[in-house]
């Protein structure tokens, strides 16, 4: 009986530790700078990379990945001015996950995540996808909203669906 309870407890723990995301589009490979999201979906593959690796070998990263996701633990470093050209020249979607200040601290010279005025940048969004193509003189951003932490799986699904179309 104890073994059965232990097995059931372990199954529940595993099931609760990773959110299942119901994304059923094309398989995506996403480079992550920061913490890798804990979610279940066989079509989403995350691989952790370093910020310097992204800046030094943008071509290889853009060839091998569908998008780059930057998470909050890296926001201050990632907002350093030396990375602006990297973001503007990457030609691949960059996901600023859980950035209430959108993409502006990362793409505007003289502004860091810490110094950016939150009130003026907050549009209520949770996450921003940024895509720039200097050659085409184009800069686009898409905003994703999270009403309730319980709907995080829906947020991920919307982000992955957008990356699929870019």
């Amino acid at each position: 009986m104890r073994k059965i309870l232990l097995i059931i407890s372990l199954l529940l723990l595993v099931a609760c530790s990773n959110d299942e995301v119901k994304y059923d589009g094309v398989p995506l490979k996403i480079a992550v700078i920061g913490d890798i999201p804990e979610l279940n979906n066989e079509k989403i593959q995350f691989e952790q990379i370093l910020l310097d690796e992204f800046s030094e070998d943008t071509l290889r990263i853009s060839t091998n990945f569908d998008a780059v996701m930057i998470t909050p633990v890296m926001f201050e470093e990632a907002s350093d001015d030396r990375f602006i050209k990297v973001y503007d020249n990457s030609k691949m979607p960059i996901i600023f996950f859980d950035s209430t200040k959108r993409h502006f601290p990362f793409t505007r010279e003289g502004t860091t995540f810490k110094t950016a005025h939150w009130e003026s940048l907050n549009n209520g969004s949770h996450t921003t996808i940024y895509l720039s193509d200097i050659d085409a003189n184009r800069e686009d951003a898409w905003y994703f909203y999270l009403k309730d932490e319980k709907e995080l799986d829906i947020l991920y699904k919307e982000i992955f669906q957008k990356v699929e179309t870019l």
Side-chain angles (χ1 to χ4, degrees):
M1 182 69 171
R2 281 187 171 180
K3 286 183 181 180
I4 293 173
L5 287 174
L6 179 64
I7 291 171
I8 291 172
S9 298
L10 288 173
L11 287 173
L12 287 173
L13 180 64
V14 169
C16 294
S17 66
N18 293 325
D19 292 327
E20 183 177 346
V21 175
K22 293 177 177 37
Y23 168 78
D24 61 357
V26 301
L28 298 174
K29 188 173 179 183
I30 299 176
V32 179
I33 300 170
D35 296 329
I36 293 182
E38 293 182 18
L39 57 91
N40 284 324
N41 187 298
E42 61 189 32
K43 294 195 174 201
I44 305 299
Q45 179 185 352
F46 293 112
E47 185 176 315
Q48 194 168 39
I49 64 169
L50 300 173
L51 187 56
D52 287 332
E53 181 182 356
F54 180 44
S55 69
E56 293 166 5
D57 202 356
T58 307
L59 181 60
R60 182 188 68 80
I61 301 295
S62 64
T63 302
N64 292 314
F65 294 93
D66 298 296
V68 172
M69 177 184 284
I70 302 175
T71 65
V73 297
M74 293 301 297
F75 283 171
E76 187 59 29
E77 185 179 347
S79 64
D80 188 281
D81 284 352
R82 66 189 168 113
F83 298 112
I84 292 173
K85 286 185 180 181
V86 174
Y87 306 138
D88 286 341
N89 293 318
S90 72
K91 297 183 182 178
M92 68 183 300
I94 301 171
I95 305 163
F96 295 104
F97 189 80
D98 197 7
S99 172
T100 54
K101 298 180 182 184
R102 300 183 278 171
H103 62 287
F104 293 110
F106 309 98
T107 60
R108 301 296 183 263
E109 195 169 323
T111 304
T112 67
F113 196 79
K114 188 176 185 177
T115 63
H117 296 289
W118 181 82
E119 298 81 15
S120 63
L121 297 175
N122 184 12
N123 67 353
S125 65
H126 178 278
T127 296
T128 301
I129 294 180
Y130 175 76
L131 181 61
S132 177
D133 185 347
I134 287 189
D135 297 334
N137 197 26
R138 175 180 160 201
E139 178 182 282
D140 291 310
W142 295 268
Y143 305 108
F144 298 86
Y145 300 85
L146 182 63
K147 297 174 189 164
D148 185 340
E149 287 294 322
K150 295 176 187 173
E151 297 178 354
L152 195 56
D153 59 326
I154 296 168
L155 175 78
Y156 275 116
K157 179 182 175 183
E158 291 172 353
I159 291 168
F160 299 147
Q161 287 173 332
K162 187 61 183 179
V163 168
E164 179 182 358
T165 66
L166 298 175

